[in-house]
Amino acid sequence: LERWDAWNLKVILRGKSFGLDVEQMKEDLVPAGRLGLAQLETLIGYGSEEEILQAYGKFVELAIPQSVLTAYGEEKNLAVIEDYLDKAYYERLLLNVDPSSRPKRLFQDFIRNEIDITNLETILKLKKEGITGDVILGYYIPGGAQIDKKLATQLANADSVSAMANDLAQLDFYEDIKDALDDSKSLKDIVAALTKYHRKQARTFTHLYPLSVIPVIDFMIHKETEVNNIRIIARGIESGLDKEIIKGLLVV
């Protein structure tokens, strides 16, 4: 559930940077982590990003490195903070899973698989934006099951999404996503394919060990997808988007 703390911090920081008011920021908060609504409102109440980050670190017992804070202070690029939060979340999560029993090993495998999906989604998104090389590797999250630093480097240095096919073919889930790995496909097609695979993996792990924590995670993933779809529909209608465009954004 700590992922929601990071999510909420990102919402608050983005809201502050775009000058949103308190109510607008609260609309996108999900107080399902360690931080309750009162603590999140406390963070919103601070006047600067630095104060927010300092208070957040104390709330969740996370020491944000000075190098990260300095880089953010110089660049004012939220990606610096968001990247660190993602890496810290998975690092802390893996450290807290003791793979001494089969259910916990399955949970660890699930987490490492999720890291692979997250890394691949990031690489593909940046590749679609024409970004390559070390810039992409800066967002790489260690700890995945299949995408190590070497493979990530190969993918990052590929000329295009379609040029990554040979390297991606070695992944266990290549067949699940290969149809979306084409330069003619849109980013939403890629994200949808990865999201569907993630849901499929959650169901698979659930069947392997129904008495573990995985069924709960499976339920949460499906609920999160459901909520995101409802949000897409609501905001799409509010913005006057065509129904076909809205349908194309949904993950079903």
Side-chain angles (χ1 to χ4, degrees), residues 103-128:
K104 291 181 179 179
R105 283 196 298 273
L106 284 173
F107 183 41
Q108 185 184 69
D109 289 343
F110 180 81
I111 296 167
R112 296 182 67 203
N113 185 263
E114 184 173 281
I115 292 174
D116 282 334
I117 294 171
T118 302
N119 279 327
L120 183 55
E121 182 175 330
T122 299
I123 292 170
L124 291 170
K125 282 180 177 179
L126 294 176
K127 189 68 66 177
K128 279 287 187 180

Side-chain angles (χ1 to χ4, degrees), residues 96-108:
N96 281 285
V97 177
D98 176 16
S100 57
S101 64
R102 187 165 185 266
K104 291 181 179 179
R105 283 196 298 273
L106 284 173
F107 183 41
Q108 185 184 69

